[in-house]
């Protein structure tokens, strides 16, 4: 609940249904979760390019990017990580209200945080995608050099090394980025969105 009692929610004059009818697709949040190095950001950006090329209004919320601005006041304690994801879900929900399909790239290791994100956005507009890659593959990729530092003890509480990752038990979709190219993962996500009714015209 908000801290202040003296606030009111203001609704827009353009309904979500009107927006979705005009643009030919529903707004929603594609929540990509997985270990560091599993390919979440790569997949989110590739999905953004593909959907945009088809005329879909898209946006990407990347964990690192948000920490340079909106979440620059947050560290990496459990409480800060939870707040980081709560804010991301709130922003994703607002963008979905405006009719955008939002791809997110967050490790989001705890099942409770992902459940909270789904509740904030709305279950009918939330697609949890487990970007699966085994730990050794992620360590071998190590695109940011974080595993090297974590294994050397330079980064405490690093997910997959010294902190747990609770893999989704029943995600909406699983893509195996250790074995399939990003183009296949993108098409897998796109087909899931189509099957779930996010595209309301056949051309998308």
């Amino acid at each position: 609940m908000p801290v202040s009692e003296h606030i009111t929610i203001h609704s827009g004059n353009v309904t979500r249904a009107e927006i979705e009818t005009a643009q030919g697709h529903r707004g929603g949040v594609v929540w990509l979760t997985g270990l560091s190095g599993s390919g979440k950001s790569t997949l989110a950006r590739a999905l953004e390019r593909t959907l945009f090329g088809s005329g879909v209004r898209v946006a990407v919320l990347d964990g690192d990017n948000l920490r340079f601005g909106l979440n620059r006041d947050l560290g990496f304690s459990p409480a800060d990580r939870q707040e980081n994801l709560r804010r991301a879900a709130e922003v994703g929900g607002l963008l979905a209200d405006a009719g955008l399909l939002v791809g997110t790239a967050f490790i989001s290791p705890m099942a409770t945080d992902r459940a909270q994100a789904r509740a904030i956005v709305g279950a009918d507009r939330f697609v949890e995608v487990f970007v699966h890659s085994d730990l050794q593959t992620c360590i071998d990729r190590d695109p940011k050099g974080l595993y090297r530092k974590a294994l050397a003890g330079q980064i405490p509480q690093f997910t997959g090394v010294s902190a747990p990752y609770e893999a989704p038990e029943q995600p909406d979709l699983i893509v195996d980025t250790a074995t399939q190219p990003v183009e296949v993962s993108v098409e897998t996500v796109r087909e899931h969105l189509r099957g779930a009714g996010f595209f309301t015209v056949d051309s998308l």
Side-chain angles (χ1 to χ4, degrees), residues 25-50:
H25 67 84
R26 294 167 48 208
V29 174
V30 181
W31 193 275
L32 305 177
T33 174
L35 292 171
S36 177
S38 61
K40 299 180 299 301
S41 294
T42 299
L43 177 55
R45 290 302 180 186
L47 183 64
E48 175 191 35
R49 170 52 61 186
T50 297

Side-chain angles (χ1 to χ4, degrees), residues 163-182:
Y165 177 79
E166 297 176 354
E169 295 183 358
Q170 293 182 311
D172 298 300
L173 183 66
I174 300 175
V175 292
D176 190 342
T177 55
T179 61
Q180 66 186 29
V182 65

Side-chain angles (χ1 to χ4, degrees), residues 5-197:
E5 298 178 0
H6 309 293
I7 56 176
T8 302
I9 292 178
H10 294 270
S11 299
N13 291 330
V14 181
T15 68
R16 186 189 307 169
E18 288 177 301
I19 293 172
E20 293 173 351
T21 298
Q23 64 191 14
H25 67 84
R26 294 167 48 208
V29 174
V30 181
W31 193 275
L32 305 177
T33 174
L35 292 171
S36 177
S38 61
K40 299 180 299 301
S41 294
T42 299
L43 177 55
R45 290 302 180 186
L47 183 64
E48 175 191 35
R49 170 52 61 186
T50 297
L51 293 180
F52 178 78
S54 298
V56 177
R57 297 177 64 217
V58 292
V60 171
L61 296 177
D62 184 272
D64 280 359
N65 289 354
L66 286 188
R67 285 184 175 276
F68 278 100
L70 178 66
N71 295 338
R72 66 188 304 171
D73 59 320
L74 299 176
F76 289 90
S77 69
D80 280 358
R81 290 183 178 190
Q82 184 178 44
E83 176 62 11
N84 180 55
L85 296 174
R86 187 196 68 80
R87 293 183 191 179
E90 294 284 3
V91 172
L94 290 172
L95 293 175
D97 284 343
L100 279 70
L101 262 176
V102 184
T104 77
F106 296 95
I107 295 173
S108 47
M110 309 308 292
T112 53
D113 292 336
R114 298 192 299 266
Q116 181 187 52
R118 183 185 293 271
I120 289 171
V121 173
D124 63 324
R125 301 189 298 161
F126 188 91
V127 179
E128 182 182 56
V129 180
F130 179 25
V131 184
H132 179 266
S133 183
D134 61 275
L135 178 60
Q136 189 57 53
T137 297
C138 294
I139 291 174
D140 291 342
R141 289 173 178 165
D142 203 10
K144 303 174 185 176
L146 299 179
Y147 282 103
R148 176 178 53 80
K149 293 179 180 179
L151 291 169
Q154 297 173 13
I155 303 178
Q157 292 298 297
F158 188 79
T159 303
V161 176
S162 52
Y165 177 79
E166 297 176 354
E169 295 183 358
Q170 293 182 311
D172 298 300
L173 183 66
I174 300 175
V175 292
D176 190 342
T177 55
T179 61
Q180 66 186 29
V182 65
E183 296 81 7
V184 175
S185 296
V186 166
E187 192 57 29
T188 299
V189 175
R190 180 174 179 148
E191 286 304 309
H192 180 86
L193 293 172
R194 179 176 287 111

